Amino acid sequence: MPEAGGRRPLVAANWKMNRGAPAEARELAAAVRRELEALGLDPGRPGEPEVVLCPPYTGLAAAGEALARSGLELGAQDLDPRPAGAFTGGVSAAMLLGAGARWAIVGHSERRLVYGEDDAAVQRKVAAALQAGLRPILCVGETAEERDAGRTEAVVGRQLAAALAGLEAAALGRLVVAYEPVWAIGTSRAAQPEDAAQVAAFIRERAGRWLGGDAAELRVLYGGSVKAANAEGFLRQAELDGALVGGASLEAAEFAAIVAAARRRGGWGA
Ligand code: PEP
């Protein structure tokens, strides 16, 4: 839920298929914890940005041990929307909660484009996560071709409408949307902060309208080549509430510097 005075910033780390062996995950999580402490950042304290680390499934438990009593939270990078059964390779929301995750990235463009997930699959995952008590970080974003054809809002609107189908207004305070233009992910070619903020405003307006709730509750992040050097530009935008960070989240000091930029954003009840 947003804190008094505005929405609490959130910075999430998507480690992708890196640092998944338990020893590696423990080491990186511990390093992030140390770097944040060195900067005087305590994500467990009210008024500080929320910080979520999303290792591969195999690193969840070990990263969780390194984060114990730190205020840092754990997330998964995906989930299977089914509760249990003969689904080889599947990992359910309940299993993720049992492994210590409180969040799950859903609909990342790599899941959509590499693994062929469609909008309907993303919708089932969002619904299953919320139902089980996991908070989804729903990713939406257009490809370069779609952007060049002037279809950014059409694509993002379609992905969002599908993912939110069947949800109630209360979901606005539970889920987080990450606007991640596909052309900006892992390319060192971040979006212009003003352009990202404009899409975030579109997302918030549409989500509020479709779910019939208070759109001001919904946190919208930007993701796509965020680094310590450019984070401030995004976090200065009132419409953007934080960042989903891929490559730069594998460097503990770099990631901590992005969290520090989120704290400098202020204006939310700190
Ligand atoms: C991502 O994959 O969610 C992401 C934002 O990656 P990167 O920061 O490396 O562009």
Side-chain angles (χ1 to χ4, degrees), residues 116-199:
E117 273 181 21
D118 60 11
D119 286 340
V122 175
Q123 185 272 331
R124 287 193 291 275
K125 292 181 179 195
V126 170
L130 285 169
Q131 168 89 28
L134 264 184
R135 304 187 64 178
I137 300 175
L138 165 67
C139 300
V140 295
E142 81 288 359
T143 63
E145 294 70 31
E146 290 163 341
R147 179 203 54 185
D148 293 346
R151 301 190 54 242
T152 297
E153 288 195 352
V155 171
V156 168
R158 189 205 76 227
Q159 293 173 336
L160 190 67
L164 300 184
L167 299 185
E168 302 193 339
L172 290 167
R174 296 287 301 159
L175 67 82
V176 168
V177 178
Y179 169 54
E180 297 213 308
V182 178
W183 47 269
I185 295 179
T187 59
S188 299
R189 206 156 54 89
Q192 291 302 314
E194 297 74 16
D195 295 343
Q198 203 175 323
V199 180

Side-chain angles (χ1 to χ4, degrees), residues 14 16 108 180 184-186 223-225 244-247:
N14 178 10
K16 309 196 184 190
H108 191 280
E180 297 213 308
I185 295 179
S225 297
L244 177 55
V245 185

